[in-house]
Amino acid sequence: MGCFSVVLRTLSWFCLVGSVVGIGANWGTQLSHPLEPNIVVRMLRDNGFQKVKLFDADPPTMKALGKSGLEVMVGIPNDMLATMATSVKAAEKWVSKNVSSYISNNGVNIRYVAVGNEPFLETYNGSFLRTTFPALQNVQGALIKAGLSSLVKATVPLNADVYQSSSGVPSGGDFRTDIHDLMLAIVKFLSDNGAPFTVNIYPFISLYSDSSFPVDYAFFDTNSATITDGGTAYTNMFDANMDTLIWALKKNGFENLPIIVGEIGWPTDGDRNANLNYAQRFNQGFMTHILTGRGTPMRAGPIDAYLFSLIDEDEKSIAPGNFERHWGVFNYDGSAKYQLNLGTTNSGALIPAKNVRYLSQKWCVLKPQASLDDPGIADAVSYACANADCTSLGYGTSCGDLDARGNISYAFNSYFQKFNQFDSSCKFLNLSMITKANPSTGTCRFEIMIEFTLSDGGQRFMYSKLGIYCLVTVLLWLTFL
C-alpha cells in the first residue's frame, strides 16, 4: 500500500509538472482607474499569457476570465485567513462561491487557490502563523467535498524569506528555524495532496535593501560566477535562490515537490534602482532564461512562473517602498513600458491594450504667476500627494529631474487626474490652473487617466468610490480653508 501511495503521488507530480506551459502574469486590481476586465483579458491573450494569478475573487474579473482559456490562480487575502482557519463552513462557502460556481457557470479555468499571500513575512511579526496552515487544510477539504481536488490545487504563496542558507550557498539551504516545523507540516500537506510549493523571488529587493549587493548578480546576462557551491557555479541570484529552496526540500525528504514561482519581476519607478532599463534587462533576461527550458543546476526542466506584475497599481501600499506602485510591464492604461519578448507573439514585442478611452487632454499645474514662497504651497502639495500618487518624484525616479515648479505641478496633476479631472480638484488655494499644454518632459510623464464606464459592476463600484472620495475631499478642504 505504501508503494502504491508513492506511485500515486509521483504520477500526480508528473501530471502537474507536465501541464505547465507558457508564462503567467499577476493581475492586481489596486488602481484608482482600472481598465475594464474584458480589456485586460484580451490583452493577456494578445500577448500569449497562458496563466493569470489573482489576489482575490473580484466578480467582474472572474466573469471576464470565463471561457478565456487562461489558467487561473484565485487568491484568498490574508485578512480572511482567520475565518478560513476557524470555520470549515466558511471555507466551503468560499469555495462554492468563488471556485465551483465560476467553473460550472462561467467556464473559468481555475487551477489553483492561493491561500494567503506571503503570510510568513518576518515584517508581519507572526500575525498569520497560527491561521495559515489550518486555512489551507480547510480550503483543501472544501475542494475535496466539492469534487474539485483533482482539478484545483490549494497552495500558499510564500516569500523567499521562509528559507535560508547557513553557509551562504544553496547547498546550505533549509527552512527558517523559527517556522521550521510549520513549514514541514505545510510541505507534507502539499505533497500529500499533489499541490505545488509556491514561492515569490525578488532579486530587486536584495539590491534595494543592500547597497553592497553585486548589481550584475541580480541579472541574467553575465557569465562570471558570483557564488560557487562545490562544483556548481552560480551567475545569477534567481538560480541560487531557487536551488536554496530545492536543497531545503531535499533535506527534508521532498526533493521532487513541484515549485511555482508565484511572483518575479522588476519595478520601473520609485527608486534609483527601479527604472525602465533595469526592468527590461531583468525581465527579458528571465524570459530568455526560462524559455531555454533548462531550469536550474539543481532541477532541470521548465520553470512555472508568473511575472509580477501585469499593470501598475496606483493604490498599493507604499510601506515597503515607493516602487510598490510600479511593478507592471504595462502602464495603468495598458500601454507597454518597454520592449519585452515573451516568446509568444510574432512581433516579439508587448501588445498594448485595445479600446482604451481616456479623459480629456488637460492637466492641472501650478500657475506661472504663483510664487514659490507662497506659504500655502507646502500644505497643498502634501495634501495632493497624500490623496493621489507622487511616487514618481524623488531621487533617481522618472520625475527626479523636475525643478520645484515641476514637482508642484506633478502633485497637483496627480490629484486632478485621480479625481476624474473635476474642476474642483484643481483648486489649490489660487495656486493652480488647468492647461491643455502637456507638461510632460523627458522621462517624466504627466498622466491622463482613463474613463470610467457604467457597463460593468466593477466600474459602477469605482463610481461609488469616486463619490466617496469627492465627499471626503470637500469636507477636508472646508476644514483646510
Side-chain angles (χ1 to χ4, degrees):
M1 186 65 183
C3 293
F4 183 66
S5 176
V6 170
V7 170
L8 282 179
R9 285 202 298 271
T10 303
L11 287 172
S12 177
W13 286 331
F14 177 79
C15 292
L16 192 62
V17 173
S19 68
V20 172
V21 287
I23 186 71
N26 284 268
W27 176 3
T29 56
Q30 296 183 64
L31 298 94
S32 63
H33 288 62
L35 290 166
E36 291 184 48
N38 288 332
I39 290 177
V40 178
V41 170
R42 180 176 179 181
M43 183 172 71
L44 285 162
R45 296 184 65 184
D46 285 348
N47 284 281
F49 287 104
Q50 296 188 14
K51 300 170 292 188
V52 64
K53 179 170 168 280
L54 310 174
F55 296 92
D56 53 23
D58 174 61
T61 300
M62 296 297 289
K63 290 176 182 176
L65 287 164
K67 299 179 181 178
S68 66
L70 293 163
E71 291 186 6
V72 178
M73 180 185 292
V74 61
I76 298 176
N78 287 342
D79 59 12
M80 292 181 65
L81 291 177
T83 301
M84 297 291 129
T86 56
S87 173
V88 172
K89 288 188 179 298
E92 291 174 353
K93 183 177 179 180
W94 190 93
V95 166
S96 175
K97 178 182 177 181
N98 299 296
V99 181
S100 301
S101 64
Y102 285 119
I103 291 175
S104 60
N105 298 331
N106 298 93
V108 182
N109 185 19
I110 300 174
R111 302 298 298 274
Y112 302 103
V113 174
V115 182
N117 185 53
E118 300 185 336
F120 301 153
L121 276 175
E122 292 185 278
T123 53
Y124 287 153
N125 296 317
S127 299
F128 307 108
L129 289 181
R130 296 186 177 182
T131 55
T132 300
F133 186 32
L136 176 65
Q137 291 173 305
N138 285 344
V139 170
Q140 179 63 38
L143 290 171
I144 293 171
K145 185 173 181 179
L148 295 172
S149 59
S150 63
L151 173 69
V152 184
K153 304 296 181 181
T155 183
V156 181
L158 297 162
N159 188 274
D161 74 351
V162 299
Y163 51 89
Q164 55 196 5
S165 172
S166 57
S167 61
V169 295
S171 60
D174 203 349
F175 294 111
R176 221 168 67 204
T177 54
D178 61 310
I179 57 172
H180 194 274
D181 291 345
L182 175 59
M183 284 303 304
L184 290 192
I186 289 174
V187 167
K188 183 179 185 305
F189 187 81
L190 294 174
S191 175
D192 289 343
N193 288 280
F197 188 107
T198 303
V199 61
N200 301 338
I201 298 177
Y202 285 111
F204 167 79
I205 300 298
S206 297
L207 187 59
Y208 174 76
S209 304
D210 182 1
S211 59
S212 63
F213 185 86
V215 175
D216 285 345
Y217 188 51
F219 301 95
F220 298 88
D221 51 8
T222 177
N223 292 320
S224 58
T226 300
I227 288 178
T228 301
D229 187 4
T232 304
Y234 287 92
T235 61
N236 67 81
M237 180 186 169
F238 172 79
D239 280 356
N241 194 299
M242 273 284 284
D243 280 2
T244 303
L245 168 59
I246 293 167
W247 272 105
L249 292 170
K250 181 178 180 179
K251 283 180 183 176
N252 292 286
F254 299 96
E255 180 178 5
N256 295 317
L257 189 69
I259 297 172
I260 289 176
V261 180
E263 298 178 17
I264 186 166
W266 200 282
T268 56
D269 212 349
D271 179 72
R272 64 188 181 90
N273 290 312
N275 55 63
L276 293 174
N277 290 335
Y278 274 6
Q280 195 276 340
R281 180 184 176 189
F282 180 83
N283 283 329
Q284 189 59 72
F286 177 70
M287 287 306 307
T288 301
H289 184 60
I290 68 170
L291 286 172
T292 65
R294 289 196 299 265
T296 69
M298 279 293 292
R299 182 177 291 185
I303 293 173
D304 189 359
Y306 296 78
L307 287 180
F308 190 87
S309 66
L310 189 66
I311 304 169
D312 279 356
E313 299 173 75
D314 66 342
E315 292 198 333
K316 283 193 72 178
S317 168
I318 57 172
N322 286 342
F323 56 84
E324 277 297 326
R325 294 177 176 172
H326 303 278
W327 287 97
V329 295
F330 292 94
N331 291 301
Y332 75 99
D333 60 354
S335 58
K337 291 184 180 180
Y338 46 83
Q339 179 81 13
L340 183 61
N341 184 356
L342 300 174
T344 56
T345 64
N346 292 331
S347 66
L350 295 174
I351 298 172
K354 296 179 172 65
N355 302 319
V356 178
R357 295 180 297 276
Y358 294 85
L359 299 178
S360 301
Q361 293 281 309
K362 58 184 181 180
W363 298 261
C364 179
V365 297
L366 181 68
K367 285 182 176 179
Q369 62 270 32
S371 170
L372 292 177
D373 295 325
D374 191 303
I377 284 181
D379 285 342
V381 170
S382 177
Y383 178 81
C385 289
N387 291 280
D389 180 27
C390 295
T391 55
S392 292
L393 299 175
Y395 174 69
T397 61
S398 64
C399 297
D401 292 334
L402 293 178
D403 59 16
R405 303 189 75 88
N407 282 326
I408 297 164
S409 292
Y410 187 94
F412 287 175
N413 184 65
S414 179
Y415 183 90
F416 178 63
Q417 299 296 337
K418 182 168 182 176
F419 292 97
N420 238 31
Q421 295 186 351
F422 290 161
D423 288 347
S424 59
S425 48
C426 188
K427 293 189 182 300
F428 290 93
L429 301 176
N430 203 34
L431 294 168
S432 53
M433 59 174 275
I434 295 174
T435 179
K436 292 188 177 181
N438 190 342
S440 299
T441 175
T443 62
C444 185
R445 176 181 172 183
F446 280 61
E447 306 286 8
I448 291 179
M449 282 297 177
I450 59 178
E451 286 185 355
F452 290 111
T453 74
L454 288 173
S455 63
D456 181 276
Q459 302 302 324
R460 282 196 294 272
F461 169 76
M462 290 307 298
Y463 259 110
S464 172
K465 187 177 182 181
L466 184 63
I468 294 171
Y469 275 144
C470 291
L471 176 60
V472 171
T473 299
V474 170
L475 293 174
L476 285 173
W477 271 111
L478 287 173
T479 303
F480 185 64
L481 292 171

